[in-house]
Amino acid sequence: MNRTTVIENFEAAQLKNPSDVPDMRVGDTVDVHYRIIEGDKERVQRFQGVLISLKGRGINRMMTVRRIVANEGVERIFPVHSPRVGKIEVLRRADVRRAKLYYLRSRTGKSRRLREDRDEAPATKS
Amino acid sequence: MPAAIIGRKIGMTRHYTADGTHIPVTVIEAGPCAVTQVKTTENDGYSAVQLAFGEIKPRRSTMPQIGHDAKAGVSPRHVHREMRCATDDEATGFELGSTVDVKAFEGVKYVDVVGTSKGKGFAGQMKRHNFKGMCASHGTERKHRTGGSIGSHGTDRGHGAKIKKGKKMAGQMGNERVTVRSLDVIAIDVERNLLVVKGPVPGPNNGYLMVRAARRLYKRKAKKLS
């Protein structure tokens, strides 16, 4: 069997169900439920922000979420298929023209906002 | 013979455990291997089992090799490796022409992987031995990546007027036999002949490897087992 197929077969068992991963696009405002294990206790931490980058494919899929906490930009990178990442919700879809929104890092105030995409409402709005 | 097999490196990926920690893993296509020769003390002076792996077209093999494989009743194989056995009885327990597959590794926690590392060609001291090189400035001229002094020849502590053997200098790097010891076995897939181990193994993807049950564990891992 071909090399890539063998690797993909091995990874397939670990990938999340497609129905558990919403259709995310760069520019979306997302809410990531991240499981934190402290000793034997487990709790869920939510991280809400703008999805500024999606990279990698298959099991290596990574999402970068940026939010502003106390006037300070905070970015977290989540492996989409990690068992620690629980639910991902798409709250708002924006009309963006870039694949990576790194330019948001140098923006402050009103210019930080993204224009909402009114034609394409997010599928999993709750 | 403890569990041993010939395989092919498929490549690296990642593996998530149930609690979400991710482990870098290498997927190895391990076997199935054919037993092509059984060596005994009486015949050969020592006891061993020869395994063969990787089917090839007969025209890619040689006549003596094809004959050797045919004797065991198997099609021509690419690589042949001998695995030493402690006793004759152990060696004769393997039937000529029978197959050894990854099932032999069931229950094995740690393995050693032997392969040929990627060749880096003729490399300088900085790349080959992690030397620091010389200053970028302070009057250094044309000597930025040299290894520096290699010792005064006359006073080399009883070695005569010669440089010590094994002195670290520039030379061929890589393309040599490398053994990585005590790798954790993450998963075994008997159906697809896959062995998944933690961390990298020597050589390029599609390179041939020899995998055996760990011969001598690192202390930390030996403690974990006991």
Side-chain angles (χ1 to χ4, degrees):
Chain A
M1 211 178 354
N2 167 313
R3 196 182 83 77
T4 343
T5 339
V6 176
I7 299 257
E8 274 169 8
N9 275 341
F10 174 73
E11 287 171 353
Q14 300 182 66
L15 290 181
K16 280 186 188 161
N17 222 326
S19 58
D20 294 341
V21 182
D23 168 35
M24 294 181 284
R25 290 189 210 160
V26 167
D28 288 357
T29 303
V30 291
D31 195 356
V32 183
H33 295 237
Y34 191 69
R35 285 165 50 211
I36 293 177
I37 297 153
E38 289 165 331
D40 48 356
K41 271 189 290 183
E42 190 189 303
R43 62 190 176 84
V44 173
Q45 191 185 60
R46 288 172 66 176
F47 192 85
Q48 198 183 101
V50 181
L51 184 62
I52 62 165
S53 154
L54 271 172
K55 60 179 183 181
R57 55 200 71 229
I59 194 116
N60 294 320
R61 194 87 166 142
M62 297 285 167
M63 56 191 284
T64 309
V65 183
R66 179 179 173 87
R67 67 173 296 190
I68 309 296
V69 181
N71 229 354
E72 189 68 45
V74 176
E75 279 179 22
R76 285 194 71 172
I77 303 170
F78 297 101
V80 173
H81 291 281
S82 166
R84 292 248 183 118
V85 172
K87 200 162 70 166
I88 303 170
E89 280 177 274
V90 178
L91 306 174
R92 188 173 172 272
R93 176 144 295 164
D95 180 19
V96 292
R97 296 177 159 212
R98 300 276 176 278
K100 305 275 189 280
L101 303 183
Y102 296 142
Y103 67 85
L104 289 180
R105 289 171 178 166
S106 54
R107 297 280 182 93
T108 52
K110 274 190 179 175
S111 64
R112 198 154 51 200
R113 293 172 310 175
L114 296 170
R115 188 173 39 170
E116 186 161 10
D117 190 342
R118 291 181 191 281
D119 302 332
E120 287 228 36
T124 59
K125 196 164 186 174
S126 56
Chain B
M1 182 181 74
I5 208 166
I6 309 168
R8 196 165 63 98
K9 173 167 163 182
I10 299 287
M12 290 194 72
T13 176
R14 63 174 73 203
H15 174 79
Y16 288 110
T17 59
D19 65 345
T21 42
H22 115 250
I23 305 170
V25 295
T26 307
V27 182
I28 299 168
E29 182 191 347
C33 294
V35 176
T36 45
Q37 197 179 1
V38 176
K39 296 195 165 185
T40 55
T41 324
E42 193 190 335
N43 252 339
D44 311 278
Y46 61 97
S47 36
V49 172
Q50 191 191 64
L51 300 179
F53 173 73
E55 289 195 21
I56 46 167
K57 290 174 184 164
R59 70 183 166 89
R60 298 252 179 240
S61 194
T62 61
M63 283 316 280
Q65 198 66 69
I66 292 169
H68 177 78
D69 287 336
K71 224 187 211 175
V74 298
S75 56
R77 301 295 160 106
H78 198 178
V79 264
H80 298 74
R81 290 280 180 283
E82 236 176 72
M83 315 289 174
R84 283 295 281 270
C85 294
T87 57
D88 272 0
D89 289 344
E90 216 184 322
T92 46
F94 288 87
E95 202 184 322
L96 203 63
S98 62
T99 42
V100 174
D101 60 14
V102 77
K103 226 184 267 174
F105 282 86
E106 267 171 358
V108 174
K109 274 197 166 158
Y110 301 106
V111 291
D112 296 342
V113 178
V114 185
T116 307
S117 61
K118 281 184 187 173
K120 308 284 179 196
F122 191 102
Q125 295 98 324
M126 283 178 72
K127 183 171 177 169
R128 192 173 179 221
H129 300 297
N130 298 323
F131 283 8
K132 273 184 177 164
M134 299 290 125
C135 266
S137 64
H138 294 299
T140 311
E141 275 185 320
R142 304 177 295 279
K143 295 248 175 243
H144 303 288
R145 291 183 65 88
T146 62
S149 166
I150 52 170
S152 50
H153 295 188
T155 58
D156 213 357
R157 292 195 209 103
H159 288 268
K162 278 177 187 167
I163 299 160
K164 251 181 176 171
K165 284 246 169 101
K167 182 85 201 147
K168 288 177 180 173
M169 289 198 238
Q172 167 69 31
M173 181 181 173
N175 193 17
E176 56 176 353
R177 182 188 156 111
V178 175
T179 308
V180 279
R181 284 169 46 203
S182 312
L183 293 178
D184 296 39
V185 176
I186 303 296
I188 289 174
D189 187 339
V190 178
E191 207 175 297
R192 297 195 187 116
N193 293 309
L194 297 183
L195 184 70
V196 181
V197 297
K198 180 176 173 184
V201 303
N205 289 341
N206 287 331
Y208 287 109
L209 301 167
M210 206 256 283
V211 186
R212 61 166 191 240
R215 198 168 277 176
R216 190 161 56 86
L217 284 175
Y218 287 127
K219 259 188 195 163
R220 183 168 48 83
K221 298 196 171 172
K223 245 184 223 167
K224 233 193 245 175
L225 268 190
S226 60

